[in-house]
Amino acid sequence: MTQNTAEAGVDAGPGNGSMVVAENVHKSFGRLEVLRGIDLEVTRGEVCCVVGPSGSGKSTFLRCINHLEKISAGRLWVDGELMGYRQRAGKLYELHDAQVARQRRGIGMVFQNFNLFPHMTVLGNVMEAPVRVQRLPRSQARERALELLDRVGLAEKASGYPRQLSGGQQQRVAIARALAMRPELMLFDEPTSALDPELVGEVLDVMKGLAEEGMTMVVVTHEMGFAREVGDTLVFMDEGVVVESGAPRSVLADPQHERTRSFLSKVL
């Protein structure tokens, strides 16, 4: 996904060790300032868990990473490439939709509410993007989709439809669908929040497997056990800023900021 920035006049991005770099990122909706200067770096292979109260800007920031939301100020790079813009001599120029779509091919995203196509089979949902976006032959897309469904434990559901699945199964299909594009970065927006408690574990197990395989992940979550066990970094956000970040076990056991302590006292 990295582009050549050596051409004259094009400003170079961050170094090769970084997958996501946010630099003073702001996002406003009208007069409402949701993000108020986010600075964050996620290195390759890292699992970054983002926690915080509702309305703190977590999901908005996640959507800014793949330019589903346009930032109002700052810079945001993914795999060394400025998302949604090109930069020359310090000035930003917005990319065309087709160029942004190309950037997003290296980023998988899993939402709270699955967003599966109800009229397609499970197999069809996973095959769709590789066929339409990557122009992969249907036979190859089918083979890839079946491998992924087996990976998330749903090979036997390939011919079924989303309405026939539990919430946990639908979310696992959504993960397989995102992986079908072979992304280098996976974004998870509270992937277990819409699930019944007994179904949460099956989704988290799939995510743990991805982490063990070295997938770079940014996970907005309320699952503190997952953050403690799987996360490399825990970021606490409140009111549109990063209040505190560090190793998950350290932040959870000994938060340094009063606002972090107050939040964790209510969720742990």
Side-chain angles (χ1 to χ4, degrees), residues 236-250:
F236 172 64
M237 285 181 61
D238 189 33
E239 296 184 347
V241 299
V242 173
V243 175
E244 186 169 344
S245 66
R249 292 178 186 273
S250 297

Side-chain angles (χ1 to χ4, degrees), residues 109-128:
M109 186 161 185
V110 177
F111 300 88
Q112 296 179 36
N113 294 314
F114 327 136
N115 292 345
L116 299 177
F117 299 117
H119 64 288
M120 290 184 178
T121 64
V122 166
L123 182 63
N125 267 277
V126 181
M127 288 176 57
E128 180 73 1

Side-chain angles (χ1 to χ4, degrees), residues 141-174:
R142 176 184 174 85
E143 182 179 356
R144 182 187 298 182
L146 288 171
E147 289 175 358
L148 288 167
L149 287 172
D150 184 60
R151 183 174 174 181
V152 300
L154 290 172
E156 78 284 357
K157 301 292 186 180
S159 61
Y161 286 85
R163 65 179 179 274
Q164 298 170 319
L165 305 181
S166 69
Q169 290 171 332
Q170 289 187 61
Q171 193 62 295
R172 283 188 281 156
V173 173

Side-chain angles (χ1 to χ4, degrees), residues 59 62-63 66 68 104 107-116 152 167-180 183 185-195 203-204 206-207 210 215-221:
S59 294
L62 203 70
R63 292 171 66 86
N66 64 359
L68 286 177
R104 289 196 188 116
I107 307 172
M109 186 161 185
V110 177
F111 300 88
Q112 296 179 36
N113 294 314
F114 327 136
N115 292 345
L116 299 177
V152 300
Q169 290 171 332
Q170 289 187 61
Q171 193 62 295
R172 283 188 281 156
V173 173
I175 294 172
R177 181 179 63 179
L179 292 173
L185 168 68
M186 285 286 288
L187 308 177
F188 292 87
D189 187 6
E190 300 190 20
T192 61
S193 64
L195 302 179
V203 174
L204 295 181
V206 172
M207 295 170 63
L210 291 176
M215 175 65 75
T216 310
M217 299 160 61
V218 182
V219 185
V220 171
T221 184

Side-chain angles (χ1 to χ4, degrees), residues 35-266:
L35 301 179
R36 300 190 292 119
I38 300 293
D39 292 302
L40 183 69
E41 180 175 356
V42 181
T43 58
R44 296 177 189 278
E46 180 180 345
V47 178
C48 175
C49 295
V50 183
V51 303
S54 297
S56 60
K58 308 183 302 296
S59 294
T60 297
F61 176 64
L62 203 70
R63 292 171 66 86
C64 286
I65 292 176
N66 64 359
H67 205 63
L68 286 177
E69 296 288 355
K70 299 178 183 179
I71 63 176
S72 303
R75 303 286 191 274
L76 215 163
W77 291 268
V78 175
D79 199 11
E81 189 170 356
L82 195 63
M83 282 300 298
Y85 301 90
R86 61 184 174 87
Q87 180 171 289
R88 287 179 180 272
K91 293 184 178 180
L92 293 183
Y93 300 88
E94 192 166 354
L95 298 180
H96 297 298
D97 289 346
Q99 294 171 303
V100 175
R102 178 191 58 78
Q103 289 184 320
R104 289 196 188 116
R105 292 180 188 180
I107 307 172
M109 186 161 185
V110 177
F111 300 88
Q112 296 179 36
N113 294 314
F114 327 136
N115 292 345
L116 299 177
F117 299 117
H119 64 288
M120 290 184 178
T121 64
V122 166
L123 182 63
N125 267 277
V126 181
M127 288 176 57
E128 180 73 1
V131 170
R132 290 192 176 273
V133 178
Q134 294 182 330
R135 305 299 183 190
L136 197 69
R138 293 191 67 83
S139 60
Q140 293 182 34
R142 176 184 174 85
E143 182 179 356
R144 182 187 298 182
L146 288 171
E147 289 175 358
L148 288 167
L149 287 172
D150 184 60
R151 183 174 174 181
V152 300
L154 290 172
E156 78 284 357
K157 301 292 186 180
S159 61
Y161 286 85
R163 65 179 179 274
Q164 298 170 319
L165 305 181
S166 69
Q169 290 171 332
Q170 289 187 61
Q171 193 62 295
R172 283 188 281 156
V173 173
I175 294 172
R177 181 179 63 179
L179 292 173
M181 291 292 285
R182 296 188 171 169
E184 298 180 37
L185 168 68
M186 285 286 288
L187 308 177
F188 292 87
D189 187 6
E190 300 190 20
T192 61
S193 64
L195 302 179
D196 292 332
E198 66 269 22
L199 302 177
V200 168
E202 63 190 55
V203 174
L204 295 181
D205 285 344
V206 172
M207 295 170 63
K208 290 175 187 176
L210 291 176
E212 290 168 359
E213 293 167 12
M215 175 65 75
T216 310
M217 299 160 61
V218 182
V219 185
V220 171
T221 184
H222 293 296
E223 301 292 339
M224 299 300 168
F226 175 86
R228 181 187 292 108
E229 180 183 349
V230 181
D232 297 299
T233 305
L234 182 67
V235 174
F236 172 64
M237 285 181 61
D238 189 33
E239 296 184 347
V241 299
V242 173
V243 175
E244 186 169 344
S245 66
R249 292 178 186 273
S250 297
V251 174
L252 292 173
D254 186 24
Q256 300 301 299
H257 196 284
E258 175 56 36
R259 183 67 188 92
T260 314
R261 287 194 288 271
S262 175
F263 173 76
L264 293 177
S265 71
K266 296 178 176 66

